[in-house]
């Protein structure tokens, strides 16, 4: 959503003429509105639902949520659209999340949060039982856990958000420019937090009576050339003015920021550059110029760069240090187990029923935080577990369609374990176990051949080992042509690696899979166990 | 149609079936935990519930990944007409970003009957695609992106921009799409950048070779004639009876086992059956075990062995001499040194097959034409053929085997080879 909307905000003025070529003949897919651009503008300004009045209630929910921008609208829309089921327990429950937030001060969540969370789960009498056979309910749970659904409040990132917001507020108050660099692994909530901060900064500006903030959000993967980012920034600040052909956008920006502005209440510009490492070129010119824009005397832009590398600012912008305007660095650490658990529970708490056993959620959080701390993976595992439950329930429906849900049919530990193994297990072991016999012998001989320090061998040498193993167990070895074919098949699958050489016999072979995986896969078969000794 | 022999009709029917992937993979889609049902479940939930998904199909070549996907898409297009758009990309053709975006825009234009301009730039194409994704999301039409040879998309350009844009679009609420990647590399998702891998939902469906029961049922499904009116009924029962007899024969089971020990994908099995069926005796109109035997031997050919088997005695002598020179650690040898070795053998063993040099040269050329030997290096073309270094293109074991199966190989040669 962020990619789409941000492009629109920048590019409406520039490209409407070129794009109309496409859309002039487009039939109306989405109802009465004829052009997608007009459609977008209408949606943004009105912030209401779209034209489908005849579609079922569930679908309206999706298209409504597609059009809105503000975060609070999600909760109001949901309570709006499903009056019967969606009595949000937050309104009537014992412990409210706001009270919770005051408790944890530094974002380090230990026992107070866990006990508070457990309290909330104790008041389960408010929640009704979940029937997994009901399609609507299943759909609601799946939607709550989908990656694309932005939660109404971003939990576990309060500390980082506060820091960034303080910085932005400070810049806005003093009308000074500044730069900030946000780093962290993928899936740690950086882009999501940026969205929230943008809205919060807007709200705060309105509150304080300051001129509202202009925002330019660019995802740098969408730029054809790295210098396009300057034209995007320029386009935002000078809407209506045509792009001057004589000087480059960068020069125009530099000129703009070096002159004193006429009016005193000029707007501050917030520039958010997502996936900033795409701007890194060999001479590091673009990145450097971008950050230098904030150092110009009358610059009024607040630059926030988002990327994955922790030391991007140090490695690629050394000159800034000498000018004493190094950007402030905020690190978004990978989520810990408690944080993942809390986020999952926050998402599920809005539903009026319990779909997951708490132990299952804990297991998921533990495993994912040990692996990467990536929130997207945790959501994906939970959805996968839901699907396993669904197939199980649907499978048993065929036998007894009339029987009611007898026991608690929620996602339990065994579903979660199955989902985790599906996500984290590599398919190598299964594939090796199901290879035809000759190919297994080849894999075995490769494991033996590369045990020492030698990293690659020629096909002829491997063939010799292969025939030895075959002869020792009275199996007719395949000829050299067949052998080379089988090696090619294994190369295609990523088990062996064949180098490119014109002559078949001169190709070098190396092993791509761990020897431990091979031993594990073939340990059931006695023949291979003896071979690999 | 006229008086077509029922045997020919049966042959045509079976061959037609073997070449139609839809027919072949249909029975594999029956059981509820088969790959077909898993894939169908995921894609259909995306269509009905409007949630985005990404999935990877992995398995060796010829195991039916694209065929099963086609089956699923075909079924879904029947169930939900007008709500599914299919966009196909291939990693061999469209791995470059510009190319890929242009192709996606072109296919979208074709689906929705819009005019496509070849002059559109990369920016315009990508904005069009994003706008279309949003439009289709609002209209509740699902777009299914099929990326064949997924690992080539991941390996081609350093930035993986296409994959990032597509998978990022999956993360937004406005679009309704499914990305299906097909690859034969098992570690295809390890090739993705960490950003792209984080956005991929880690669903993988593994296509393993079929089990024995599946193969038996597949054979029956493919080879049994239907009992409809186009065939004389007596013939149909006779044919199906013969098939049952063959498949339960232990010799057939052994043959199948030998074949499956080398390659076990469905595709190679289909090729094997095709060859067997094509050699059916049209007079009797029934399949027999010999058909399968000939098919097996034609599939497990060893061409170099056949070359050696067809050599003349003199050529065999020359090959043995070359092998002996190799064994004596003489790394490079040419015709002259082979002749010397030949003379030494003749002197020590008093063989009757001693020919003049020009005859031997002819034999040498003959061997080179059949690619049993060749020049060791490509330079030195100006030198006369006799002085250029040569090398053997067959291994010692192949030579051994070929000579043993030769019609009239003199015993002394075998002794010389073993030495």
């Amino acid at each position: 959503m962020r990619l789409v909307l941000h492009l629109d905000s920048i590019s409406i003025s520039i490209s409407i003429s070129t794009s109309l070529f496409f859309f002039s003949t487009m039939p109306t897919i989405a109802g009465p509105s004829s052009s997608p651009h007009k459609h977008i503008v209408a949606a943004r300004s009105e912030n209401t639902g779209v034209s489908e009045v005849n579609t079922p209630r569930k679908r309206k929910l999706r298209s409504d949520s597609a059009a809105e921008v503000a975060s609070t609208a999600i909760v109001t829309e949901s309570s709006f659209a499903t009056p019967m089921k969606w009595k949000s327990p937050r309104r009537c429950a014992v412990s409210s999340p706001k009270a919770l937030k005051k408790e944890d001060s530094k974002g380090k969540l230990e026992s107070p949060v866990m006990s508070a969370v457990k309290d909330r789960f104790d008041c389960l009498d408010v929640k009704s039982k979940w029937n997994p056979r009901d399609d609507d309910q299943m759909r609601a749970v799946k939607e709550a856990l989908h990656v694309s659904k932005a939660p109404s409040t971003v939990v576990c990132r309060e500390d980082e958000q506060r820091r960034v917001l303080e910085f932005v507020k400070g810049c806005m108050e003093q009308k000074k420019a500044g730069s900030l660099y946000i780093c962290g692994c993928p899936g740690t909530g950086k882009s999501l937090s940026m969205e929230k901060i943008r809205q919060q900064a807007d709200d705060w500006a309105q509150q304080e009576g300051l001129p509202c903030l202009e925002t330019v959000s660019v995802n740098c993967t969408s730029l054809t050339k790295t210098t396009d980012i300057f034209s995007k920034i320029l386009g935002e600040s000078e809407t209506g003015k045509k792009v001057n052909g004589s000087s480059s956008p960068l020069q125009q920006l530099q000129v703009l920021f070096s002159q004193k502005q006429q009016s005193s209440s000029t707007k501050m510009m917030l520039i958010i550059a997502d996936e900033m490492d795409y701007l890194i070129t060999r001479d590091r010119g673009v990145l450097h110029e971008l950050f230098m824009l904030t150092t110009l005397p009358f610059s009024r832009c607040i630059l926030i760069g988002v990327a994955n590398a922790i030391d991007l600012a140090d490695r690629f912008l050394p000159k800034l240090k000498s000018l004493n305007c190094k950007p402030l660095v905020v690190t978004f650490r990978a989520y810990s187990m408690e944080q993942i658990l809390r986020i999952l529970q926050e998402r599920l708490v809005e539903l009026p029923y319990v779909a997951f056993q708490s132990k299952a959620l804990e297991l998921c959080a533990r495993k994912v935080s040990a692996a990467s701390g990536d929130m997207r993976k945790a959501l994906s595992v939970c959805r996968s577990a839901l699907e396993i439950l669904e197939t199980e329930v649907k499978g048993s429906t065929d036998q007894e369609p009339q029987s009611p849900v007898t026991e608690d049919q929620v996602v339990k530990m065994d579903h979660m374990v199955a989902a985790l193994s599906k996500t984290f297990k590599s398919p190598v072991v299964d594939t090796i176990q199901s290879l035809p016999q000759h190919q297994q012998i080849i894999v075995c001989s490769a494991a033996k051949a590369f045990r020492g320090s030698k990293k690659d061998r020629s096909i002829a040498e491997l063939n010799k080992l292969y025939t030895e193993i075959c002869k020792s167990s009275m199996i007719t070895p395949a000829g050299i042509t067949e052998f080379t074919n089988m090696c090619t098949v294994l190369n295609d699958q990523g088990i062996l690696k064949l180098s490119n050489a014109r002559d078949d016999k001169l190709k070098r072979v190396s092993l791509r899979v761990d020897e431990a995986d091979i031993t594990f896969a073939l340990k059931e078969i006695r023949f291979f166990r003896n071979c690999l000794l | 149609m006229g008086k077509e022999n029922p045997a020919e009709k049966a042959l045509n029917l079976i061959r037609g079936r073997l070449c139609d992937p839809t027919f072949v993979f249909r029975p594999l889609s029956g059981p509820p935990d088969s790959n077909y049902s898993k894939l169908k479940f995921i894609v259909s939930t995306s269509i009905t519930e409007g949630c985005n998904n990404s999935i990877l199909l992995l398995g060796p070549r010829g195991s039916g990944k694209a065929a099963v996907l086609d089956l699923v898409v075909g079924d879904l297009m029947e169930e939900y007409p007008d709500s599914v758009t299919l966009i196909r990309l291939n990693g061999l053709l469209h791995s470059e970003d510009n190319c890929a975006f242009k192709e996606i825009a072109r296919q979208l234009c074709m689906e929705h009957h819009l005019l496509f301009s070849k002059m559109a730039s990369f920016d315009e194409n990508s904005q069009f695609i994003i706008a279309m994704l949003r439009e289709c999301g609002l209209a509740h039409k699902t777009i299914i992106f099929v990326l064949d040879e997924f690992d080539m998309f991941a390996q081609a350009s350093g930035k993986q921009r296409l994959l990032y844009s597509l998978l990022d679009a999956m993360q937004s609420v406005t679009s309704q799409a499914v990305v299906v990647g097909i690859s034969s590399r098992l570690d295809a998702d390890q090739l993705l950048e960490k950003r792209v891998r984080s956005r991929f939902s880690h669903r993988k469906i593994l296509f393993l070779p079929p089990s024995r029961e599946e193969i038996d049922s597949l054979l029956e499904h493919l080879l049994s004639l239907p009992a409809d009116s186009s065939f004389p009924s007596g013939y149909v029962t006779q044919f199906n009876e013969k098939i049952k007899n063959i498949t339960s024969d232990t010799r057939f089971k052994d043959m199948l086992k030998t074949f499956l020990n080398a390659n076990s994908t469905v595709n190679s099995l289909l090729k094997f059956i095709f060859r067997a069926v094509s050699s059916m005796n049209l007079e009797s109109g029934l399949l027999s075990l010999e058909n399968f035997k000939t098919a097996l031997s034609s599939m497990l050919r060893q061409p170099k062995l056949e070359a050696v088997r067809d050599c003349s005695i003199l050529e065999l002598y020359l090959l043995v001499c070359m092998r002996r020179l190799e064994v004596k650690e003489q790394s490079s040898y040419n015709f002259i040194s082979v002749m010397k070795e030949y003379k030494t053998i003749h002197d020590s063993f008093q063989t009757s097959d001693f020919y003049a040099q020009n005859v031997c040269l002819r034999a040498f050329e003959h061997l080179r034409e059949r690619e049993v030997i060749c020049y060791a290096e490509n330079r030195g073309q100006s030198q006369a053929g006799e002085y250029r270094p040569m090398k053997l293109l067959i291994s010692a074991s192949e030579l051994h085997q070929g000579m043993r199966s030769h019609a009239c190989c003199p015993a002394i040669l075998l002794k010389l080879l073993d030495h």
Side-chain angles (χ1 to χ4, degrees):
Chain A
M1 190 162 147
R2 48 182 197 282
L3 168 69
V4 160
L5 281 177
H6 303 157
L7 273 178
D8 296 331
S9 64
I10 303 154
S11 56
I12 283 178
S13 53
I14 298 177
S15 57
I16 209 164
S17 52
T18 49
S19 311
L20 274 177
F21 173 73
F22 286 115
F23 303 120
S24 54
T25 53
M26 189 169 185
T28 53
I29 296 179
S33 64
S34 58
S35 151
H37 279 296
K38 287 196 220 139
H39 182 84
I40 295 153
V41 171
R44 282 195 66 191
S45 55
E46 291 157 16
N47 194 22
T48 52
V50 186
S51 42
E52 288 104 311
V53 275
N54 295 327
T55 52
R57 178 195 15 101
K58 175 68 189 136
R59 298 199 161 175
K60 197 183 211 161
L61 190 65
R62 268 193 56 84
S63 25
D64 287 348
S65 57
E68 47 90 356
V69 176
S71 58
T72 50
I74 291 184
V75 178
T76 48
E77 294 268 2
S78 54
S79 52
F80 211 23
T82 55
M84 293 219 307
K85 282 185 192 160
W86 283 81
K87 209 181 236 183
S88 173
R90 216 181 263 172
R91 306 259 165 84
C92 63
V94 173
S95 58
S96 74
K98 296 255 186 339
L100 257 177
K101 273 198 206 130
K102 285 191 200 128
E103 282 176 43
D104 52 296
S105 48
K106 273 293 164 187
K108 219 195 268 187
L109 305 164
E110 337 116 307
S111 39
V113 177
M114 288 297 282
S115 60
V117 158
K118 283 208 179 76
D119 284 343
R120 197 188 307 166
F121 260 75
D122 284 342
C123 66
L124 283 180
D125 351 294
V126 188
K127 301 208 178 201
S128 53
K129 233 161 186 241
W130 180 46
N131 181 7
R133 297 207 186 130
D134 186 352
D135 279 337
D136 275 341
Q137 290 186 359
M138 179 63 88
R139 210 180 291 165
V141 180
K142 277 197 194 167
E143 177 137 330
L145 287 176
H146 199 265
V147 180
S148 57
K149 179 166 168 175
S152 42
T153 48
V154 179
V155 291
C156 301
R157 286 295 174 210
E158 295 92 358
D159 190 36
E160 289 89 353
Q161 279 185 317
R162 205 196 44 222
R163 279 177 75 190
V164 179
L165 199 57
E166 298 290 329
F167 176 79
V168 174
K169 283 185 192 171
C171 286
M172 280 168 69
E173 272 174 352
Q174 300 166 11
K175 291 210 195 285
K176 241 176 38 141
S179 59
L180 182 69
Y181 173 61
I182 294 192
C183 58
C185 292
T188 43
K190 302 185 293 291
S191 305
L192 195 62
S193 306
M194 289 306 107
E195 266 301 306
K196 298 291 179 237
I197 284 170
R198 207 167 70 125
Q199 287 149 13
Q200 285 175 341
D202 256 338
D203 295 338
W204 181 78
Q206 275 181 352
Q207 236 182 335
E208 297 286 313
L210 292 171
C212 69
L213 203 59
E214 270 176 41
T215 331
V216 181
S217 254
V218 183
N219 191 318
C220 300
T221 49
S222 60
L223 302 171
T224 346
K225 283 192 331 251
T226 47
T227 43
D228 283 348
I229 189 168
F230 297 118
S231 34
K232 286 216 155 81
I233 300 176
L234 194 64
E236 176 61 29
S237 75
E238 306 277 321
T239 342
K241 213 185 201 180
K242 267 181 41 184
V243 179
N244 199 348
S246 60
S247 55
S248 74
L250 172 60
Q251 287 167 341
Q252 286 189 321
L253 277 173
Q254 286 174 332
V255 158
L256 188 65
F257 289 149
S258 318
Q259 297 163 344
K260 185 151 173 58
Q261 301 301 317
Q262 280 79 1
S263 55
S264 58
S265 63
T266 44
K267 300 183 182 175
M268 294 292 287
M269 189 161 47
L270 179 66
I271 306 173
I272 303 183
D274 226 342
E275 314 287 358
M276 211 172 57
D277 42 342
Y278 275 82
L279 290 178
I280 296 177
T281 49
R282 193 176 283 195
D283 59 348
R284 303 164 191 176
V286 173
L287 202 59
H288 201 74
E289 293 301 328
L290 188 62
F291 275 90
M292 290 295 279
L293 278 178
T294 57
T295 63
L296 294 171
F298 294 101
S299 159
R300 49 184 170 83
C301 56
I302 309 171
L303 175 65
I304 301 184
V306 183
N308 293 127
I310 292 187
D311 56 352
L312 195 109
D314 295 327
R315 266 197 301 155
F316 294 105
L317 304 168
K319 291 192 211 159
L320 288 181
K321 193 169 172 189
S322 56
L323 287 170
N324 205 22
C325 51
K326 251 185 72 162
L328 182 67
V329 177
V330 177
T331 314
F332 275 57
R333 293 227 149 71
Y335 286 119
S336 68
M337 184 213 133
E338 294 90 1
Q339 289 175 324
I340 296 184
L341 188 57
R342 181 144 172 250
I343 296 175
L344 286 173
Q345 283 164 344
E346 277 288 324
R347 279 189 178 231
L348 291 172
V349 82
E350 295 170 355
L351 301 171
Y353 29 73
V354 175
F356 282 79
Q357 223 182 32
S358 50
K359 289 255 177 254
L361 283 181
E362 260 184 57
L363 175 67
C364 168
R366 211 180 284 275
K367 191 78 201 269
V368 174
S369 68
S372 56
D374 185 345
M375 197 59 220
R376 290 190 184 113
K377 208 162 201 175
L379 291 171
S380 168
V381 168
C382 290
R383 289 189 67 212
S384 180
L386 258 181
E387 279 168 11
I388 295 177
L389 177 70
E390 191 175 349
T391 30
E392 198 183 276
V393 161
K394 290 249 162 75
S396 62
T397 315
D398 297 334
Q399 289 128 26
E400 313 156 4
Q402 303 305 327
S403 75
V405 178
T406 45
E407 77 232 11
D408 233 3
Q409 281 198 318
V410 291
V411 177
K412 299 205 185 76
M413 288 286 274
D414 43 355
H415 303 124
M416 194 55 86
V417 165
L420 282 169
S421 73
K422 255 174 46 171
T423 313
F424 283 102
K425 193 161 84 142
S426 101
V428 170
V429 173
D430 280 333
T431 315
I432 294 184
Q433 280 175 340
S434 57
L435 283 176
Q437 192 189 39
H438 282 282
Q439 292 184 15
Q440 280 176 332
I441 300 180
I442 295 180
V443 169
C444 212
S445 47
K448 262 175 112 168
F450 297 113
R451 221 170 242 178
S453 55
K454 254 208 127 165
K455 278 305 150 204
D456 66 351
R457 288 186 185 255
S458 71
I459 283 208
E461 289 168 28
L462 197 63
N463 192 17
K464 222 190 311 185
L465 277 172
Y466 162 76
T467 25
E468 270 170 26
I469 297 184
C470 281
K471 284 213 181 103
S472 68
S473 43
M474 311 293 183
I475 301 177
T476 347
I480 183 76
T481 334
E482 193 67 35
F483 180 80
T484 321
N485 286 343
M486 288 199 273
C487 283
T488 321
V489 168
L490 289 172
N491 173 44
D492 272 343
Q493 291 195 270
I495 298 177
L496 289 182
K497 183 166 141 100
L498 278 182
S499 67
N500 286 333
R502 265 187 329 166
D503 192 3
D504 257 355
K505 288 233 170 98
L506 294 177
K507 291 195 179 166
R508 313 287 300 174
V509 187
S510 52
L511 197 58
R512 264 206 189 117
V513 175
D514 254 350
E515 195 195 323
D517 281 336
I518 300 176
T519 329
F520 179 73
L522 296 175
K523 68 180 183 336
E524 300 295 318
I525 311 175
R526 205 153 59 115
F527 164 68
F528 290 114
R529 237 183 319 168
N530 296 338
C531 279
L532 282 171
L533 279 174
Chain B
M1 289 285 255
K3 289 200 294 184
E4 197 178 318
N5 192 353
E8 276 175 23
K9 258 178 39 176
L11 190 60
N12 288 339
L13 176 72
I14 295 181
R15 286 207 279 215
R17 280 179 185 173
L18 288 169
C19 296
D20 178 15
T22 323
F23 184 84
V24 172
F25 286 98
R26 183 56 74 177
L28 291 177
S29 53
D33 64 341
S34 67
N35 288 335
Y36 170 85
S37 358
K38 283 187 217 165
L39 187 59
K40 187 157 182 208
F41 179 67
I42 294 179
V43 183
S44 57
T45 46
S46 302
I47 295 179
T48 49
E49 298 175 13
C51 56
N52 302 328
N53 253 321
S54 49
I55 185 169
L56 202 55
L57 303 179
L58 301 173
R61 288 190 198 280
S63 47
K65 308 183 287 285
V68 169
L69 180 65
D70 284 339
L71 263 182
V72 170
V73 170
D75 288 345
L76 288 173
M77 287 214 177
E78 277 175 18
E79 279 177 45
Y80 306 102
D82 291 335
S83 333
V84 176
T85 311
L86 188 63
I87 307 278
R88 282 184 193 268
L89 292 175
N90 194 310
L92 293 168
L93 301 169
H94 308 125
S95 56
E96 218 230 306
D97 293 326
N98 274 340
C99 222
F101 274 87
K102 195 183 227 185
E103 183 62 25
I104 297 178
R106 188 185 69 84
Q107 289 191 21
L108 281 172
C109 285
M110 255 179 34
E111 276 284 329
H112 296 111
H113 309 293
L114 302 168
L115 285 173
F116 174 68
S117 155
K118 288 195 194 138
M119 297 298 141
S121 73
F122 178 77
D123 262 338
E124 287 166 357
N125 278 337
S126 61
Q127 283 171 20
F128 172 64
I129 291 168
I130 291 166
M132 278 302 279
L133 272 173
R134 201 190 13 257
E135 284 298 316
C136 288
L138 291 167
H140 300 290
K141 283 176 82 126
T142 314
I143 304 185
I144 302 182
F145 289 95
V146 176
L147 301 174
D148 237 332
E149 314 288 345
F150 189 76
D151 43 307
M152 313 234 33
F153 282 109
Q155 280 175 320
S157 53
K159 292 191 174 176
Q160 297 181 0
R161 219 200 289 199
L162 170 71
L163 290 176
Y164 181 86
S165 327
L166 280 182
L167 290 174
D168 203 35
M170 300 291 116
Q171 309 273 301
S172 75
V173 188
T174 51
S175 53
Q176 190 171 330
V178 187
V179 173
V180 183
I182 305 181
S183 175
S184 60
R185 274 195 62 162
L186 298 171
D187 56 347
D189 63 332
Q190 305 296 324
L191 295 169
L192 298 173
E193 244 191 356
K194 59 179 187 311
R195 276 188 275 248
V196 182
R197 200 175 340 145
S198 161
R199 287 169 165 82
F200 172 65
S201 78
H202 291 101
R203 282 166 213 261
K204 294 182 235 181
I205 295 186
L206 198 55
F207 279 74
L208 295 173
S211 62
R212 285 315 301 257
E213 298 82 27
E214 283 175 353
I215 292 180
D216 290 333
S217 65
L218 187 65
L219 280 173
E220 202 187 300
H221 171 71
L222 289 171
L223 293 172
S224 314
L225 288 179
D228 62 3
S229 59
S230 55
F231 292 101
S233 66
Y235 173 65
V236 169
T237 38
Q238 220 185 353
F239 192 88
N240 292 345
E241 200 51 50
K242 195 77 204 306
I243 298 284
K244 272 210 196 42
N245 286 341
I246 293 176
T247 46
S248 46
D249 195 343
T250 42
R251 288 174 293 169
F252 177 76
K253 291 200 190 168
D254 285 337
M255 263 197 294
L256 202 56
K257 195 155 160 246
T258 326
F259 179 72
L260 290 174
N261 272 343
N263 37 16
S264 53
T265 55
V266 178
N267 213 8
S268 48
L269 188 67
L270 291 177
K271 283 191 199 151
F272 172 59
I273 299 176
F274 193 94
R275 270 186 225 223
V277 165
S278 301
S279 56
M280 181 170 91
N281 184 354
L282 284 173
E283 296 204 349
S284 69
L286 300 172
L287 281 175
S288 70
L289 206 58
E290 277 63 44
N291 297 135
F292 287 96
K293 266 200 206 137
T294 42
L296 188 66
S297 55
S298 75
M299 293 218 50
L300 296 180
R301 276 184 59 213
Q302 299 206 31
K304 299 284 186 197
L305 212 59
E306 287 162 17
V308 174
R309 237 182 287 165
D310 292 337
C311 281
S312 67
I313 308 286
L314 175 59
E315 287 159 5
L316 284 180
Y317 263 97
L318 293 176
L319 287 175
V320 168
C321 291
M322 290 178 79
R323 178 69 199 147
R324 284 169 65 94
L325 286 175
E326 267 186 12
V327 166
K328 285 187 199 166
E329 308 275 330
Q330 209 165 325
S331 52
S332 81
Y333 42 86
N334 57 14
F335 178 67
I336 305 296
S337 36
V338 171
M339 286 309 293
K340 256 192 252 177
E341 177 74 19
Y342 184 45
K343 189 143 194 325
T344 336
I345 292 179
H346 175 70
D347 289 337
S348 46
F349 290 98
Q350 299 296 321
T351 56
S352 56
D353 306 297
F354 190 66
Y355 297 93
Q357 179 143 338
N358 49 352
V359 181
C360 293
L361 195 56
R362 290 294 291 280
F364 220 64
E365 288 299 315
H366 200 223
L367 282 175
R368 206 169 59 80
E369 276 165 22
R370 298 213 64 192
E371 295 217 349
V372 183
I373 62 179
C374 71
Y375 290 128
E377 27 184 70
N378 268 336
R379 3 178 240 127
Q381 303 242 358
S382 52
Q383 268 183 326
E386 301 146 341
Y387 296 96
R388 288 175 67 182
M390 313 286 291
K391 67 172 182 195
L392 271 174
L393 284 178
I394 56 173
S395 65
S397 54
E398 280 175 329
L399 184 56
H400 214 117
Q401 228 179 330
M403 278 167 50
R404 252 190 269 138
S405 53
H406 195 273
C408 42
C409 175
I412 187 149
L413 272 182
L414 284 168
K415 204 172 76 167
L416 284 170
L417 195 61
D418 290 333
H419 201 247

